[in-house]
Amino acid sequence: MKPIYFPEPFRIKSVEPLKMLTRAEREKKIADADYNVFYLASQDVYIDLLTDSGTGAMSSQQWAGVMMGDESYAGADCYYKVQDTAKKIFGMPYIQLVHQGRAAEKVLLGILLSGKKYAISNMHFDTTRAHVELAGARAIDCVVPEALDTTKYYDFKGNMDCKRLEQYIKELGAENIGVIIMTITNNSAGGQPVSVENIRQTRKIAHKHGIKFMIDAARYAENSYFVKQREPEFKNSTIDEIIKAIFEDADCFTMSSKKDAIVNMGGLVGCRDKALFELIKQRTISFEGFITYGGMSGRDIEALAIGLQEGIDENYLKYRIGQMQYLAARLDEAGIAYQSPVGGHAVFIDAKKLLPHIPYHEFPAQALAIELYKEAGIRACDIGSYMLGNDPDTGKQLEAEFEFTRLAIPRRVYTQSHLDVIADALINIKERASEIKGYKIVEEPPILRHFTAKLRPIK
């Protein structure tokens, strides 16, 4: 039986041509890019699943809003629209604009981790981990053990392991921990949701020990949809009500608005404490620009104000997550393992299971990403040992909990036919998986290496 697909709650008004290179051309392009998919030119990519961040298609209302953007340096009208919208959605009294998620992390984590040694999260994503380390601290992951078995069903694989969290606090000392971070959805664990009950428990533990509790809210809307589907307390709640329940337990949050607000640029920092907000504003002025534009153009701010509302529409979210479910169902039919149940923004292929002959230090998830490009012009991303990098203290290659090749689906961009191309490409690769070789790094920077490292295939 063909997998169920939830149709688009919109019609297409504008299209962008794509081209497909030949196999020989693609092999040359990836070699010229030093086997780093970030170095590929977008015009040489047929289906781009590198990230869902800033790659979505804006609506006609958002494009109309672009023309209304107020480009005043201070006090622009669009600034107040975002303020009003964000305060209403998140229930936070203080909201600061920044240009994207990593800017939000730079502004906030530099404050929370000043003089501290550790940050604990259900799982840090790459930029969060980098900003923890840049602040002089160390990032500790504390996801529930159920997340580690990619084939086993569990409703909330993104959850914090609260028992282990208490142990970490006891061992490390609460005075040494600057922040406890809840990432929703849990990207590094496979785009997996977090329950409201787990958020409440984690916040309670943080506050019992006098530690700030922060939410990384990049995909808060998708997380809220999963809560409605899977957490009995909220089955009759609206998405708005679930969001309020999530954020009422947080001291502060960072957000890349390039995900669930469906814009090409933008970010937010929110908090409840006025003294903390004053520090946030001062760092924003230093790093991003004046507080009422936060490193963004007025037209982008106007689009953000509209996108915040569009991104929490339940019909849109049903379609959005339905795309992942459709692709996952095709993979089930083919016996290709992924983090199951499928998450909200991407399908995370278990490269360790597909390519078991490639050890972690030869980067199986990166090898699969490269092979996908060769096979069908699809650009995906490693979420594994290659991305994790080296131990900041010893310099040795770390082994990631997962070896995922992430297929991040841009919002409102690709159709069911594109999803079928992706599935067919993976099926073809599976048939010759034993022939695929690993890779070695020949050049790398010390932090966030996967963006710019250069690799070579192992002969």
Side-chain angles (χ1 to χ4, degrees):
M1 186 175 73
K2 198 167 180 65
I4 295 172
Y5 177 73
F6 297 106
E8 292 83 355
F10 53 83
R11 58 187 178 190
I12 297 168
K13 198 169 187 177
S14 180
V15 296
E16 178 183 357
L18 297 174
K19 69 175 181 179
M20 172 71 87
L21 303 179
T22 66
R23 171 86 187 204
E25 288 172 329
R26 294 194 298 272
E27 289 182 349
K28 184 177 187 305
K29 293 291 184 182
I30 193 65
D32 290 345
D34 292 304
Y35 299 96
N36 186 332
V37 293
F38 285 91
Y39 282 132
L40 288 169
S42 63
Q43 66 178 0
D44 297 327
V45 175
Y46 177 56
I47 299 175
D48 202 341
L49 310 181
L50 184 66
T51 180
D52 63 317
S53 179
T55 57
M58 292 203 301
S59 68
S60 57
Q61 287 83 3
Q62 286 177 295
W63 281 111
V66 164
M67 297 302 296
M68 301 298 292
D70 181 352
E71 303 298 343
S72 300
Y73 186 92
D77 178 64
C78 46
Y79 165 78
Y80 297 106
K81 291 179 183 177
V82 165
Q83 286 280 310
D84 292 343
T85 302
K87 287 177 183 178
K88 180 182 177 183
I89 290 173
F90 300 109
M92 287 269 185
Y94 303 110
I95 301 290
Q96 177 58 58
L97 278 167
V98 290
H99 82 274
Q100 63 181 56
R102 70 193 61 180
E105 292 165 351
K106 181 177 182 179
V107 166
L108 183 58
L109 292 178
I111 300 168
L112 299 181
L113 293 173
S114 178
K116 302 292 184 178
K117 296 180 180 179
Y118 304 101
I120 303 176
S121 174
N122 53 341
M123 287 195 86
H124 296 80
F125 195 56
D126 59 349
T127 61
T128 320
R129 182 180 302 276
H131 281 107
V132 168
E133 294 175 2
L134 287 168
R138 293 293 175 260
I140 297 174
D141 292 335
C142 194
V143 71
V144 289
E146 289 84 355
L148 304 182
D149 185 346
T150 59
T151 59
K152 181 180 178 180
Y153 184 94
Y154 188 70
D155 279 335
F156 294 102
K157 280 187 173 180
N159 278 0
M160 183 81 75
D161 185 338
C162 289
K163 182 177 179 181
R164 191 150 53 105
L165 175 62
E166 287 273 27
Q167 292 172 346
Y168 276 136
I169 294 171
K170 183 178 179 180
E171 293 169 5
L172 302 174
E175 70 279 5
N176 294 318
I177 301 168
V179 62
I180 293 173
I181 304 168
M182 186 68 85
T183 305
I184 59 171
T185 54
N186 190 331
N187 193 354
S188 295
Q192 294 296 303
V194 177
S195 71
V196 173
E197 179 56 30
N198 187 252
I199 292 171
R200 289 169 175 163
Q201 291 174 1
T202 305
R203 186 272 307 165
K204 185 176 180 180
I205 292 169
H207 287 179
K208 180 178 72 173
H209 294 283
I211 304 169
K212 291 288 188 185
F213 177 61
M214 168 188 142
I215 291 178
D216 176 345
R219 299 175 180 89
Y220 74 103
E222 292 169 4
N223 197 93
S224 299
Y225 183 83
F226 282 120
V227 166
K228 182 175 176 64
Q229 300 302 309
R230 300 178 185 175
E231 197 163 0
E233 178 185 345
F234 297 97
K235 66 179 180 179
N236 296 319
S237 300
T238 65
I239 298 299
D240 276 324
E241 290 167 343
I242 295 168
I243 293 167
K244 293 292 194 307
I246 288 172
F247 284 86
E248 70 182 3
D249 293 321
D251 295 306
C252 51
F253 75 89
T254 59
M255 179 182 174
S256 168
S257 303
K258 297 162 66 176
K259 283 84 168 175
D260 275 355
I262 327 178
V263 289
N264 306 126
M265 189 57 65
L268 297 172
V269 183
C271 71
R272 299 189 183 280
D273 181 71
K274 191 174 189 300
L276 175 59
F277 186 56
E278 291 302 317
L279 294 174
I280 289 169
K281 288 195 295 184
Q282 291 308 309
R283 286 175 66 87
T284 298
I285 293 170
S286 298
F287 299 139
E288 295 286 285
F290 189 60
I291 57 174
T292 62
Y293 77 90
M296 294 177 65
S297 65
R299 53 187 174 271
D300 286 326
I301 299 172
E302 189 79 30
L304 171 55
I306 298 167
L308 282 167
Q309 292 287 358
E310 293 183 354
I312 60 175
D313 178 79
E314 191 169 335
N315 288 327
Y316 155 75
L317 288 167
K318 182 178 180 181
Y319 142 77
R320 166 69 175 158
I321 291 168
Q323 282 198 310
M324 312 306 147
Q325 293 169 341
Y326 175 84
L327 180 53
R330 287 284 324 269
L331 300 181
D332 286 336
E333 292 176 344
I336 296 174
Y338 58 89
Q339 178 63 292
S340 176
V342 71
H345 72 285
V347 178
F348 287 67
I349 307 300
D350 190 336
K352 191 184 294 187
K353 285 188 169 64
L354 189 61
L355 306 172
H357 58 287
I358 300 179
Y360 76 92
H361 53 83
E362 294 179 6
F363 315 125
Q366 177 69 4
L368 179 55
I370 293 166
E371 207 61 30
L372 263 172
Y373 179 74
K374 291 180 181 179
E375 175 69 26
I378 299 165
R379 177 159 62 173
C381 180
D382 167 284
I383 307 289
S385 296
Y386 172 59
M387 186 191 78
L388 184 60
N390 301 317
D391 186 294
D393 297 314
T394 67
K396 293 183 178 180
Q397 172 65 52
L398 294 166
E399 181 175 3
E401 296 278 14
F402 308 102
E403 297 293 344
F404 286 142
T405 303
R406 186 184 71 177
L407 313 177
I409 311 295
R411 292 161 180 81
R412 303 189 294 206
V413 171
Y414 294 117
T415 67
Q416 182 175 343
S417 296
H418 291 109
L419 301 181
D420 284 329
V421 171
I422 298 163
D424 291 342
L426 284 164
I427 291 167
N428 290 342
I429 290 171
K430 183 188 176 189
E431 292 175 355
R432 52 181 175 80
S434 62
E435 303 169 10
I436 298 171
K437 306 297 183 184
Y439 288 79
K440 63 180 179 180
I441 295 173
V442 296
E443 185 178 317
E444 62 178 317
I447 293 179
L448 293 173
R449 72 177 184 191
H450 59 292
F451 288 116
T452 58
K454 296 180 180 180
L455 302 97
R456 295 289 182 271
I458 294 174
K459 301 294 185 182

